[in-house]
Amino acid sequence: MQIFTFVLMSVLVFFAGNPARTIAADAPVHGTFALFEVEPTWTTLSSDEKTKGVQEATALVESFKDRVTFDSYWTYGLTTDSHFLIRLQSSEAKINQELLTQLAGTGLGRHLDLEFTISGITKGLNYAPDFPDLLAQLKAAKYEGDPSTYVIMIPTRKSAEWWNLSKEERVALIREHTVPTIAYLKTVKRKLFHATGLADADFITIFETNNLEDFNNLVLALRMVKEDKYNIRLGSPTVLGTLKSWNEVGALLAK
Ligand code: HEM
């Protein structure tokens, strides 16, 4: 009996101390996006100081790898007032915050300005199960493009009028939203985070693609459906960048 109690307690302690492992398949993922600009003071550092600063930041990211899924994107030249965007995904927004707070104390972080940050959570589908014909097409669609090179992050907000439509009306409008999008799944990957009450947006949409012309046409098609009349914010900011590993971002910064 004592052995059983010991094993049970060990299992409970193990899971309590490893939050990433406790995420059930349908538990929300907490996503935090942080857009950084490197301060001019960084350029006054010696090459060794820059390398050390980047190494400290890299060691920190590495130390969170069991708890945080970390993606980085180089935005300099494509998005105003920024050098890179990071996306943190974990079981709790506070874990994302912990990483960002510790990052600020590294040799690199001391020269970074956090220009924009926003958090949201993933949820199950609200509408698509009500149009199973299109849902089947969504599930069947396969990405066929070359590996993605671009990221686009677009926060969106809907009007009060939208939220006060009946569920049936919203289903009909989202169905209309979905129709033109299916063809684009060949070249565009997407992910949606819900942010109502957590940010000044209702959704954070993020896309990866190798084809910006397709992406531009996709968004144009979505601006031409009735659902778009309920969008009172699209972007602000829209963040455009290129996919880079953290080591690649570090190398660009250390130059
Ligand atoms: C290949 C491209 C796209 C596909 C296949 C797609 C498909 C869908 C589907 C099926 C839903 C309903 C999800 C549900 O059932 O809860 C949805 C929701 C949504 N989509 Fe798209 N979409 C695409 C592109 C876009 C773009 C480019 C934007 C905006 C820039 C966008 C913004 C949204 C938003 C904000 C929602 C949430 C709406 C709500 O829950 O009220 N989508 N999309």
mmCIF file of all heavy atoms in Angstrom, residues 123-129 131 135 138 154 156-158 162-163 170 174 177-178 181-186 188-190 192 194 202-205 207 215 218-219 222 227 231 234, ligand 1:
data_model
loop_
_atom_site.group_PDB
_atom_site.id
_atom_site.type_symbol
_atom_site.label_atom_id
_atom_site.label_comp_id
_atom_site.label_asym_id
_atom_site.label_seq_id
_atom_site.Cartn_x
_atom_site.Cartn_y
_atom_site.Cartn_z
ATOM 1 N N LYS A 123 -8.812 27.065 -29.689
ATOM 2 C CA LYS A 123 -10.100 26.468 -29.306
ATOM 3 C C LYS A 123 -10.536 25.515 -30.401
ATOM 4 O O LYS A 123 -10.040 25.596 -31.530
ATOM 5 C CB LYS A 123 -11.164 27.561 -29.171
ATOM 6 C CG LYS A 123 -11.097 28.351 -27.887
ATOM 7 C CD LYS A 123 -12.300 29.264 -27.806
ATOM 8 C CE LYS A 123 -12.424 29.903 -26.439
ATOM 9 N NZ LYS A 123 -13.531 30.871 -26.424
ATOM 10 N N GLY A 124 -11.517 24.702 -30.089
ATOM 11 C CA GLY A 124 -12.077 23.829 -31.127
ATOM 12 C C GLY A 124 -12.846 24.651 -32.156
ATOM 13 O O GLY A 124 -13.073 25.843 -31.961
ATOM 14 N N LEU A 125 -13.248 24.015 -33.243
ATOM 15 C CA LEU A 125 -13.987 24.718 -34.297
ATOM 16 C C LEU A 125 -15.377 25.111 -33.788
ATOM 17 O O LEU A 125 -16.088 24.288 -33.216
ATOM 18 C CB LEU A 125 -14.143 23.810 -35.514
ATOM 19 C CG LEU A 125 -12.850 23.450 -36.250
ATOM 20 C CD1 LEU A 125 -13.114 22.390 -37.308
ATOM 21 C CD2 LEU A 125 -12.231 24.699 -36.877
ATOM 22 N N ASN A 126 -15.760 26.371 -34.029
ATOM 23 C CA ASN A 126 -17.093 26.838 -33.611
ATOM 24 C C ASN A 126 -18.152 26.621 -34.678
ATOM 25 O O ASN A 126 -19.312 26.397 -34.362
ATOM 26 C CB ASN A 126 -17.047 28.346 -33.301
ATOM 27 C CG ASN A 126 -16.429 28.630 -31.950
ATOM 28 O OD1 ASN A 126 -16.570 27.820 -31.033
ATOM 29 N ND2 ASN A 126 -15.733 29.737 -31.827
ATOM 30 N N TYR A 127 -17.754 26.755 -35.936
ATOM 31 C CA TYR A 127 -18.745 26.815 -37.021
ATOM 32 C C TYR A 127 -18.632 25.676 -38.027
ATOM 33 O O TYR A 127 -19.647 25.166 -38.511
ATOM 34 C CB TYR A 127 -18.626 28.156 -37.771
ATOM 35 C CG TYR A 127 -18.737 29.341 -36.843
ATOM 36 C CD1 TYR A 127 -17.624 30.127 -36.527
ATOM 37 C CD2 TYR A 127 -19.952 29.669 -36.247
ATOM 38 C CE1 TYR A 127 -17.720 31.207 -35.655
ATOM 39 C CE2 TYR A 127 -20.063 30.747 -35.374
ATOM 40 C CZ TYR A 127 -18.941 31.519 -35.079
ATOM 41 O OH TYR A 127 -19.050 32.578 -34.219
ATOM 42 N N ALA A 128 -17.398 25.304 -38.371
ATOM 43 C CA ALA A 128 -17.200 24.349 -39.472
ATOM 44 C C ALA A 128 -17.956 23.024 -39.284
ATOM 45 O O ALA A 128 -18.426 22.460 -40.274
ATOM 46 C CB ALA A 128 -15.706 24.107 -39.698
ATOM 47 N N PRO A 129 -18.122 22.511 -38.051
ATOM 48 C CA PRO A 129 -18.890 21.262 -37.918
ATOM 49 C C PRO A 129 -20.324 21.411 -38.421
ATOM 50 O O PRO A 129 -20.981 20.418 -38.731
ATOM 51 C CB PRO A 129 -18.860 20.985 -36.405
ATOM 52 C CG PRO A 129 -17.613 21.677 -35.938
ATOM 53 C CD PRO A 129 -17.505 22.920 -36.771
ATOM 54 N N PHE A 131 -21.064 22.845 -41.245
ATOM 55 C CA PHE A 131 -21.075 22.674 -42.723
ATOM 56 C C PHE A 131 -20.110 21.540 -43.084
ATOM 57 O O PHE A 131 -19.008 21.745 -43.577
ATOM 58 C CB PHE A 131 -20.809 23.975 -43.504
ATOM 59 C CG PHE A 131 -19.781 24.933 -42.942
ATOM 60 C CD1 PHE A 131 -18.425 24.767 -43.203
ATOM 61 C CD2 PHE A 131 -20.172 26.028 -42.195
ATOM 62 C CE1 PHE A 131 -17.494 25.653 -42.721
ATOM 63 C CE2 PHE A 131 -19.227 26.938 -41.690
ATOM 64 C CZ PHE A 131 -17.897 26.748 -41.960
ATOM 65 N N LEU A 135 -16.182 21.102 -44.427
ATOM 66 C CA LEU A 135 -15.231 20.615 -43.425
ATOM 67 C C LEU A 135 -14.443 19.428 -43.983
ATOM 68 O O LEU A 135 -13.225 19.330 -43.796
ATOM 69 C CB LEU A 135 -15.978 20.213 -42.140
ATOM 70 C CG LEU A 135 -15.108 19.716 -40.979
ATOM 71 C CD1 LEU A 135 -14.063 20.753 -40.561
ATOM 72 C CD2 LEU A 135 -15.966 19.339 -39.771
ATOM 73 N N LEU A 138 -11.893 20.803 -46.226
ATOM 74 C CA LEU A 138 -10.804 21.427 -45.450
ATOM 75 C C LEU A 138 -9.835 20.364 -44.950
ATOM 76 O O LEU A 138 -8.620 20.523 -45.004
ATOM 77 C CB LEU A 138 -11.373 22.167 -44.230
ATOM 78 C CG LEU A 138 -12.088 23.489 -44.464
ATOM 79 C CD1 LEU A 138 -12.874 23.891 -43.224
ATOM 80 C CD2 LEU A 138 -11.091 24.593 -44.811
ATOM 81 N N ILE A 154 -1.928 38.596 -38.419
ATOM 82 C CA ILE A 154 -2.951 39.643 -38.548
ATOM 83 C C ILE A 154 -3.951 39.532 -37.384
ATOM 84 O O ILE A 154 -4.756 38.606 -37.359
ATOM 85 C CB ILE A 154 -3.727 39.516 -39.895
ATOM 86 C CG1 ILE A 154 -2.767 39.448 -41.082
ATOM 87 C CG2 ILE A 154 -4.727 40.659 -40.063
ATOM 88 C CD1 ILE A 154 -3.456 39.237 -42.434
ATOM 89 N N THR A 156 -7.407 40.427 -35.627
ATOM 90 C CA THR A 156 -8.686 40.923 -36.159
ATOM 91 C C THR A 156 -9.666 41.113 -35.012
ATOM 92 O O THR A 156 -9.567 40.463 -33.979
ATOM 93 C CB THR A 156 -9.310 39.965 -37.196
ATOM 94 O OG1 THR A 156 -9.828 38.833 -36.515
ATOM 95 C CG2 THR A 156 -8.332 39.511 -38.241
ATOM 96 N N ARG A 157 -10.613 42.029 -35.234
ATOM 97 C CA ARG A 157 -11.657 42.264 -34.236
ATOM 98 C C ARG A 157 -12.991 42.380 -34.944
ATOM 99 O O ARG A 157 -13.093 42.992 -36.004
ATOM 100 C CB ARG A 157 -11.349 43.551 -33.459
ATOM 101 C CG ARG A 157 -12.266 43.772 -32.264
ATOM 102 C CD ARG A 157 -11.845 45.028 -31.505
ATOM 103 N NE ARG A 157 -12.789 45.308 -30.435
ATOM 104 C CZ ARG A 157 -12.540 45.105 -29.147
ATOM 105 N NH1 ARG A 157 -11.383 44.635 -28.774
ATOM 106 N NH2 ARG A 157 -13.442 45.392 -28.236
ATOM 107 N N LYS A 158 -14.019 41.790 -34.354
ATOM 108 C CA LYS A 158 -15.364 41.830 -34.932
ATOM 109 C C LYS A 158 -16.206 42.861 -34.176
ATOM 110 O O LYS A 158 -15.968 43.126 -32.993
ATOM 111 C CB LYS A 158 -16.008 40.447 -34.812
ATOM 112 C CG LYS A 158 -15.370 39.392 -35.734
ATOM 113 C CD LYS A 158 -16.165 39.320 -36.991
ATOM 114 C CE LYS A 158 -15.663 38.500 -38.136
ATOM 115 N NZ LYS A 158 -15.319 37.147 -37.869
ATOM 116 N N TRP A 162 -21.736 41.688 -34.928
ATOM 117 C CA TRP A 162 -21.380 40.298 -35.250
ATOM 118 C C TRP A 162 -21.743 39.360 -34.101
ATOM 119 O O TRP A 162 -22.397 38.350 -34.272
ATOM 120 C CB TRP A 162 -19.885 40.180 -35.569
ATOM 121 C CG TRP A 162 -19.391 38.762 -35.630
ATOM 122 C CD1 TRP A 162 -18.770 38.063 -34.631
ATOM 123 C CD2 TRP A 162 -19.511 37.865 -36.732
ATOM 124 N NE1 TRP A 162 -18.478 36.789 -35.049
ATOM 125 C CE2 TRP A 162 -18.927 36.647 -36.333
ATOM 126 C CE3 TRP A 162 -20.046 37.979 -38.024
ATOM 127 C CZ2 TRP A 162 -18.863 35.537 -37.171
ATOM 128 C CZ3 TRP A 162 -19.982 36.875 -38.869
ATOM 129 C CH2 TRP A 162 -19.398 35.667 -38.444
ATOM 130 N N TRP A 163 -21.301 39.748 -32.904
ATOM 131 C CA TRP A 163 -21.498 38.859 -31.750
ATOM 132 C C TRP A 163 -22.975 38.736 -31.384
ATOM 133 O O TRP A 163 -23.370 37.796 -30.696
ATOM 134 C CB TRP A 163 -20.680 39.354 -30.552
ATOM 135 C CG TRP A 163 -19.194 39.262 -30.833
ATOM 136 C CD1 TRP A 163 -18.347 40.304 -31.060
ATOM 137 C CD2 TRP A 163 -18.414 38.068 -30.955
ATOM 138 N NE1 TRP A 163 -17.074 39.837 -31.305
ATOM 139 C CE2 TRP A 163 -17.086 38.465 -31.241
ATOM 140 C CE3 TRP A 163 -18.685 36.701 -30.849
ATOM 141 C CZ2 TRP A 163 -16.050 37.564 -31.425
ATOM 142 C CZ3 TRP A 163 -17.649 35.798 -31.022
ATOM 143 C CH2 TRP A 163 -16.355 36.227 -31.314
ATOM 144 N N ARG A 170 -24.269 33.435 -38.084
ATOM 145 C CA ARG A 170 -22.795 33.423 -38.109
ATOM 146 C C ARG A 170 -22.273 32.203 -38.866
ATOM 147 O O ARG A 170 -21.314 32.303 -39.626
ATOM 148 C CB ARG A 170 -22.240 33.485 -36.676
ATOM 149 C CG ARG A 170 -22.259 34.925 -36.135
ATOM 150 C CD ARG A 170 -21.747 35.040 -34.716
ATOM 151 N NE ARG A 170 -22.757 34.604 -33.768
ATOM 152 C CZ ARG A 170 -22.569 33.723 -32.793
ATOM 153 N NH1 ARG A 170 -21.378 33.182 -32.613
ATOM 154 N NH2 ARG A 170 -23.549 33.390 -31.990
ATOM 155 N N ILE A 174 -19.746 32.445 -41.982
ATOM 156 C CA ILE A 174 -18.417 31.799 -41.952
ATOM 157 C C ILE A 174 -18.333 30.742 -43.060
ATOM 158 O O ILE A 174 -17.274 30.512 -43.646
ATOM 159 C CB ILE A 174 -18.104 31.209 -40.557
ATOM 160 C CG1 ILE A 174 -17.902 32.328 -39.535
ATOM 161 C CG2 ILE A 174 -16.876 30.309 -40.596
ATOM 162 C CD1 ILE A 174 -16.612 33.140 -39.684
ATOM 163 N N HIS A 177 -17.294 32.630 -45.890
ATOM 164 C CA HIS A 177 -15.855 32.947 -45.711
ATOM 165 C C HIS A 177 -15.000 31.746 -46.161
ATOM 166 O O HIS A 177 -13.954 31.920 -46.790
ATOM 167 C CB HIS A 177 -15.629 33.241 -44.212
ATOM 168 C CG HIS A 177 -14.209 33.250 -43.717
ATOM 169 N ND1 HIS A 177 -13.524 34.405 -43.413
ATOM 170 C CD2 HIS A 177 -13.336 32.235 -43.432
ATOM 171 C CE1 HIS A 177 -12.314 34.107 -42.966
ATOM 172 N NE2 HIS A 177 -12.169 32.789 -42.964
ATOM 173 N N THR A 178 -15.480 30.549 -45.843
ATOM 174 C CA THR A 178 -14.661 29.352 -46.078
ATOM 175 C C THR A 178 -14.595 28.969 -47.558
ATOM 176 O O THR A 178 -13.551 28.490 -48.037
ATOM 177 C CB THR A 178 -15.215 28.174 -45.231
ATOM 178 O OG1 THR A 178 -15.271 28.596 -43.862
ATOM 179 C CG2 THR A 178 -14.334 26.948 -45.325
ATOM 180 N N THR A 181 -11.648 30.058 -49.599
ATOM 181 C CA THR A 181 -10.328 29.819 -48.980
ATOM 182 C C THR A 181 -9.751 28.442 -49.302
ATOM 183 O O THR A 181 -8.526 28.271 -49.281
ATOM 184 C CB THR A 181 -10.396 29.936 -47.436
ATOM 185 O OG1 THR A 181 -11.262 28.914 -46.925
ATOM 186 C CG2 THR A 181 -10.863 31.288 -46.991
ATOM 187 N N ILE A 182 -10.642 27.487 -49.576
ATOM 188 C CA ILE A 182 -10.171 26.090 -49.652
ATOM 189 C C ILE A 182 -9.069 25.918 -50.709
ATOM 190 O O ILE A 182 -8.066 25.250 -50.458
ATOM 191 C CB ILE A 182 -11.365 25.140 -49.876
ATOM 192 C CG1 ILE A 182 -12.204 25.126 -48.588
ATOM 193 C CG2 ILE A 182 -10.899 23.723 -50.228
ATOM 194 C CD1 ILE A 182 -13.507 24.419 -48.660
ATOM 195 N N ALA A 183 -9.246 26.589 -51.856
ATOM 196 C CA ALA A 183 -8.250 26.456 -52.937
ATOM 197 C C ALA A 183 -6.870 26.931 -52.474
ATOM 198 O O ALA A 183 -5.843 26.483 -52.996
ATOM 199 C CB ALA A 183 -8.698 27.266 -54.147
ATOM 200 N N TYR A 184 -6.843 27.830 -51.500
ATOM 201 C CA TYR A 184 -5.560 28.409 -51.068
ATOM 202 C C TYR A 184 -4.809 27.528 -50.073
ATOM 203 O O TYR A 184 -3.664 27.826 -49.739
ATOM 204 C CB TYR A 184 -5.789 29.805 -50.469
ATOM 205 C CG TYR A 184 -6.180 30.811 -51.519
ATOM 206 C CD1 TYR A 184 -7.506 31.128 -51.749
ATOM 207 C CD2 TYR A 184 -5.215 31.426 -52.311
ATOM 208 C CE1 TYR A 184 -7.882 32.037 -52.727
ATOM 209 C CE2 TYR A 184 -5.563 32.342 -53.282
ATOM 210 C CZ TYR A 184 -6.902 32.646 -53.490
ATOM 211 O OH TYR A 184 -7.249 33.545 -54.460
ATOM 212 N N LEU A 185 -5.473 26.475 -49.593
ATOM 213 C CA LEU A 185 -4.766 25.616 -48.633
ATOM 214 C C LEU A 185 -3.573 24.912 -49.269
ATOM 215 O O LEU A 185 -2.707 24.392 -48.572
ATOM 216 C CB LEU A 185 -5.732 24.602 -48.015
ATOM 217 C CG LEU A 185 -6.678 25.211 -46.963
ATOM 218 C CD1 LEU A 185 -7.773 24.232 -46.595
ATOM 219 C CD2 LEU A 185 -5.894 25.635 -45.728
ATOM 220 N N LYS A 186 -3.522 24.904 -50.607
ATOM 221 C CA LYS A 186 -2.364 24.318 -51.313
ATOM 222 C C LYS A 186 -1.088 25.113 -51.043
ATOM 223 O O LYS A 186 0.005 24.578 -51.095
ATOM 224 C CB LYS A 186 -2.618 24.347 -52.827
ATOM 225 C CG LYS A 186 -3.559 23.271 -53.296
ATOM 226 C CD LYS A 186 -3.620 23.279 -54.808
ATOM 227 C CE LYS A 186 -4.654 22.261 -55.249
ATOM 228 N NZ LYS A 186 -5.292 22.588 -56.492
ATOM 229 N N VAL A 188 -1.054 27.951 -48.563
ATOM 230 C CA VAL A 188 -1.094 28.755 -47.331
ATOM 231 C C VAL A 188 -1.411 27.848 -46.136
ATOM 232 O O VAL A 188 -2.368 27.083 -46.175
ATOM 233 C CB VAL A 188 -2.179 29.863 -47.438
ATOM 234 C CG1 VAL A 188 -2.278 30.641 -46.123
ATOM 235 C CG2 VAL A 188 -1.896 30.817 -48.595
ATOM 236 N N LYS A 189 -0.567 27.945 -45.076
ATOM 237 C CA LYS A 189 -0.867 27.237 -43.819
ATOM 238 C C LYS A 189 -1.388 28.276 -42.829
ATOM 239 O O LYS A 189 -0.927 29.415 -42.840
ATOM 240 C CB LYS A 189 0.410 26.623 -43.243
ATOM 241 C CG LYS A 189 1.007 25.548 -44.106
ATOM 242 C CD LYS A 189 2.234 25.004 -43.398
ATOM 243 C CE LYS A 189 3.152 24.309 -44.368
ATOM 244 N NZ LYS A 189 4.447 23.985 -43.778
ATOM 245 N N ARG A 190 -2.317 27.890 -41.965
ATOM 246 C CA ARG A 190 -2.920 28.909 -41.083
ATOM 247 C C ARG A 190 -3.105 28.372 -39.678
ATOM 248 O O ARG A 190 -3.162 27.161 -39.456
ATOM 249 C CB ARG A 190 -4.267 29.345 -41.658
ATOM 250 C CG ARG A 190 -5.321 28.315 -41.438
ATOM 251 C CD ARG A 190 -6.459 28.354 -42.421
ATOM 252 N NE ARG A 190 -7.144 27.095 -42.368
ATOM 253 C CZ ARG A 190 -8.224 26.859 -41.651
ATOM 254 N NH1 ARG A 190 -8.780 27.818 -40.955
ATOM 255 N NH2 ARG A 190 -8.760 25.668 -41.609
ATOM 256 N N LEU A 192 -5.260 29.790 -35.897
ATOM 257 C CA LEU A 192 -6.130 30.818 -35.318
ATOM 258 C C LEU A 192 -6.057 30.759 -33.795
ATOM 259 O O LEU A 192 -6.167 29.688 -33.201
ATOM 260 C CB LEU A 192 -7.570 30.524 -35.775
ATOM 261 C CG LEU A 192 -8.670 31.483 -35.332
ATOM 262 C CD1 LEU A 192 -8.542 32.813 -36.088
ATOM 263 C CD2 LEU A 192 -10.046 30.879 -35.622
ATOM 264 N N HIS A 194 -7.815 32.621 -30.302
ATOM 265 C CA HIS A 194 -8.929 33.455 -29.833
ATOM 266 C C HIS A 194 -8.401 34.399 -28.760
ATOM 267 O O HIS A 194 -7.684 33.963 -27.851
ATOM 268 C CB HIS A 194 -10.041 32.569 -29.265
ATOM 269 C CG HIS A 194 -10.673 31.701 -30.307
ATOM 270 N ND1 HIS A 194 -11.979 31.864 -30.721
ATOM 271 C CD2 HIS A 194 -10.166 30.685 -31.048
ATOM 272 C CE1 HIS A 194 -12.247 30.966 -31.660
ATOM 273 N NE2 HIS A 194 -11.170 30.233 -31.872
ATOM 274 N N ASP A 202 -10.212 40.167 -31.264
ATOM 275 C CA ASP A 202 -10.957 38.930 -30.971
ATOM 276 C C ASP A 202 -10.172 37.694 -31.414
ATOM 277 O O ASP A 202 -10.374 36.610 -30.872
ATOM 278 C CB ASP A 202 -12.309 38.952 -31.703
ATOM 279 C CG ASP A 202 -13.270 39.954 -31.061
ATOM 280 O OD1 ASP A 202 -13.326 39.992 -29.821
ATOM 281 O OD2 ASP A 202 -13.942 40.698 -31.796
ATOM 282 N N PHE A 203 -9.334 37.896 -32.447
ATOM 283 C CA PHE A 203 -8.592 36.755 -33.002
ATOM 284 C C PHE A 203 -7.180 37.194 -33.381
ATOM 285 O O PHE A 203 -6.950 38.343 -33.734
ATOM 286 C CB PHE A 203 -9.272 36.227 -34.281
ATOM 287 C CG PHE A 203 -10.710 35.857 -34.067
ATOM 288 C CD1 PHE A 203 -11.725 36.736 -34.400
ATOM 289 C CD2 PHE A 203 -11.054 34.633 -33.512
ATOM 290 C CE1 PHE A 203 -13.048 36.407 -34.191
ATOM 291 C CE2 PHE A 203 -12.373 34.290 -33.295
ATOM 292 C CZ PHE A 203 -13.385 35.179 -33.640
ATOM 293 N N ILE A 204 -6.265 36.244 -33.319
ATOM 294 C CA ILE A 204 -4.930 36.452 -33.892
ATOM 295 C C ILE A 204 -4.818 35.388 -34.975
ATOM 296 O O ILE A 204 -4.900 34.184 -34.682
ATOM 297 C CB ILE A 204 -3.814 36.248 -32.854
ATOM 298 C CG1 ILE A 204 -4.087 37.070 -31.595
ATOM 299 C CG2 ILE A 204 -2.455 36.599 -33.456
ATOM 300 C CD1 ILE A 204 -3.304 36.581 -30.371
ATOM 301 N N THR A 205 -4.698 35.826 -36.225
ATOM 302 C CA THR A 205 -4.538 34.856 -37.313
ATOM 303 C C THR A 205 -3.079 34.874 -37.736
ATOM 304 O O THR A 205 -2.445 35.930 -37.787
ATOM 305 C CB THR A 205 -5.442 35.208 -38.514
ATOM 306 O OG1 THR A 205 -5.042 36.485 -39.024
ATOM 307 C CG2 THR A 205 -6.906 35.278 -38.124
ATOM 308 N N PHE A 207 -0.315 33.035 -40.617
ATOM 309 C CA PHE A 207 -0.219 32.253 -41.853
ATOM 310 C C PHE A 207 1.243 32.084 -42.241
ATOM 311 O O PHE A 207 2.053 32.981 -42.009
ATOM 312 C CB PHE A 207 -0.959 32.978 -42.990
ATOM 313 C CG PHE A 207 -2.371 33.338 -42.629
ATOM 314 C CD1 PHE A 207 -2.653 34.546 -42.008
ATOM 315 C CD2 PHE A 207 -3.411 32.456 -42.856
ATOM 316 C CE1 PHE A 207 -3.958 34.869 -41.632
ATOM 317 C CE2 PHE A 207 -4.704 32.766 -42.483
ATOM 318 C CZ PHE A 207 -4.979 33.976 -41.869
ATOM 319 N N PHE A 215 -1.371 34.792 -51.231
ATOM 320 C CA PHE A 215 -1.901 35.270 -49.953
ATOM 321 C C PHE A 215 -2.673 36.574 -50.146
ATOM 322 O O PHE A 215 -3.756 36.764 -49.585
ATOM 323 C CB PHE A 215 -0.785 35.453 -48.921
ATOM 324 C CG PHE A 215 -1.348 35.747 -47.561
ATOM 325 C CD1 PHE A 215 -1.942 34.744 -46.814
ATOM 326 C CD2 PHE A 215 -1.355 37.037 -47.053
ATOM 327 C CE1 PHE A 215 -2.531 35.012 -45.588
ATOM 328 C CE2 PHE A 215 -1.935 37.318 -45.820
ATOM 329 C CZ PHE A 215 -2.519 36.302 -45.088
ATOM 330 N N LEU A 218 -5.959 35.703 -51.628
ATOM 331 C CA LEU A 218 -6.815 35.092 -50.603
ATOM 332 C C LEU A 218 -7.498 36.170 -49.760
ATOM 333 O O LEU A 218 -8.716 36.149 -49.551
ATOM 334 C CB LEU A 218 -5.956 34.176 -49.712
ATOM 335 C CG LEU A 218 -6.531 33.781 -48.353
ATOM 336 C CD1 LEU A 218 -7.747 32.891 -48.514
ATOM 337 C CD2 LEU A 218 -5.477 33.065 -47.499
ATOM 338 N N VAL A 219 -6.710 37.125 -49.282
ATOM 339 C CA VAL A 219 -7.290 38.162 -48.417
ATOM 340 C C VAL A 219 -8.256 39.040 -49.220
ATOM 341 O O VAL A 219 -9.329 39.413 -48.721
ATOM 342 C CB VAL A 219 -6.193 38.995 -47.705
ATOM 343 C CG1 VAL A 219 -6.811 40.109 -46.870
ATOM 344 C CG2 VAL A 219 -5.356 38.082 -46.804
ATOM 345 N N LEU A 222 -11.469 37.330 -49.347
ATOM 346 C CA LEU A 222 -12.184 37.403 -48.061
ATOM 347 C C LEU A 222 -12.739 38.794 -47.773
ATOM 348 O O LEU A 222 -13.680 38.945 -47.009
ATOM 349 C CB LEU A 222 -11.272 36.956 -46.918
ATOM 350 C CG LEU A 222 -10.975 35.462 -46.916
ATOM 351 C CD1 LEU A 222 -10.066 35.091 -45.761
ATOM 352 C CD2 LEU A 222 -12.269 34.658 -46.840
ATOM 353 N N GLU A 227 -19.166 38.580 -44.540
ATOM 354 C CA GLU A 227 -18.614 38.496 -43.183
ATOM 355 C C GLU A 227 -17.607 39.626 -42.916
ATOM 356 O O GLU A 227 -17.475 40.093 -41.784
ATOM 357 C CB GLU A 227 -17.942 37.116 -43.014
ATOM 358 C CG GLU A 227 -17.287 36.877 -41.688
ATOM 359 C CD GLU A 227 -15.780 36.644 -41.822
ATOM 360 O OE1 GLU A 227 -15.280 36.562 -42.960
ATOM 361 O OE2 GLU A 227 -15.122 36.575 -40.780
ATOM 362 N N ASN A 231 -15.810 42.981 -39.708
ATOM 363 C CA ASN A 231 -14.429 43.153 -39.228
ATOM 364 C C ASN A 231 -14.166 44.629 -38.985
ATOM 365 O O ASN A 231 -14.194 45.422 -39.924
ATOM 366 C CB ASN A 231 -13.419 42.623 -40.259
ATOM 367 C CG ASN A 231 -13.365 41.114 -40.258
ATOM 368 O OD1 ASN A 231 -13.512 40.482 -39.216
ATOM 369 N ND2 ASN A 231 -13.176 40.519 -41.429
ATOM 370 N N LEU A 234 -8.456 44.797 -38.909
ATOM 371 C CA LEU A 234 -7.681 43.757 -39.626
ATOM 372 C C LEU A 234 -6.253 44.259 -39.593
ATOM 373 O O LEU A 234 -5.917 45.226 -40.262
ATOM 374 C CB LEU A 234 -8.119 43.654 -41.085
ATOM 375 C CG LEU A 234 -9.233 42.683 -41.482
ATOM 376 C CD1 LEU A 234 -9.432 42.734 -42.987
ATOM 377 C CD2 LEU A 234 -8.925 41.253 -41.056
HETATM 378 C C1 HEM B 1 -6.516 29.129 -46.457
HETATM 379 C C2 HEM B 1 -7.046 30.158 -45.826
HETATM 380 C C3 HEM B 1 -8.214 30.099 -44.873
HETATM 381 C C4 HEM B 1 -9.061 29.081 -44.567
HETATM 382 C C5 HEM B 1 -9.076 27.667 -45.123
HETATM 383 C C6 HEM B 1 -9.989 29.584 -43.578
HETATM 384 C C7 HEM B 1 -11.021 28.858 -43.026
HETATM 385 C C8 HEM B 1 -11.727 29.222 -41.904
HETATM 386 C C9 HEM B 1 -12.692 28.415 -41.217
HETATM 387 C C10 HEM B 1 -13.148 27.033 -41.631
HETATM 388 C C11 HEM B 1 -13.129 29.112 -40.152
HETATM 389 C C12 HEM B 1 -14.169 28.679 -39.141
HETATM 390 C C13 HEM B 1 -13.508 28.041 -37.927
HETATM 391 C C14 HEM B 1 -14.539 27.516 -36.963
HETATM 392 O O1 HEM B 1 -15.322 26.650 -37.326
HETATM 393 O O2 HEM B 1 -14.512 27.975 -35.783
HETATM 394 C C15 HEM B 1 -12.418 30.350 -40.157
HETATM 395 C C16 HEM B 1 -12.538 31.316 -39.183
HETATM 396 C C17 HEM B 1 -11.853 32.493 -39.204
HETATM 397 N N1 HEM B 1 -11.025 32.972 -40.182
HETATM 398 FE FE1 HEM B 1 -10.478 31.985 -41.813
HETATM 399 N N2 HEM B 1 -9.690 30.889 -43.318
HETATM 400 C C18 HEM B 1 -8.615 31.237 -44.081
HETATM 401 C C19 HEM B 1 -8.008 32.475 -44.148
HETATM 402 C C20 HEM B 1 -8.314 33.516 -43.341
HETATM 403 C C21 HEM B 1 -7.711 34.830 -43.425
HETATM 404 C C22 HEM B 1 -6.700 35.261 -44.492
HETATM 405 C C23 HEM B 1 -8.225 35.552 -42.402
HETATM 406 C C24 HEM B 1 -7.955 36.983 -42.006
HETATM 407 C C25 HEM B 1 -6.922 37.677 -42.367
HETATM 408 C C26 HEM B 1 -9.120 34.704 -41.679
HETATM 409 C C27 HEM B 1 -9.775 35.048 -40.527
HETATM 410 C C28 HEM B 1 -10.588 34.202 -39.810
HETATM 411 C C29 HEM B 1 -11.127 34.538 -38.525
HETATM 412 C C30 HEM B 1 -10.873 35.825 -37.746
HETATM 413 C C31 HEM B 1 -11.926 33.467 -38.135
HETATM 414 C C32 HEM B 1 -12.710 33.328 -36.844
HETATM 415 C C33 HEM B 1 -14.110 33.770 -37.110
HETATM 416 C C34 HEM B 1 -15.006 33.557 -35.918
HETATM 417 O O3 HEM B 1 -14.851 32.565 -35.179
HETATM 418 O O4 HEM B 1 -15.873 34.416 -35.755
HETATM 419 N N3 HEM B 1 -9.174 33.492 -42.295
HETATM 420 N N4 HEM B 1 -11.578 30.413 -41.236
#
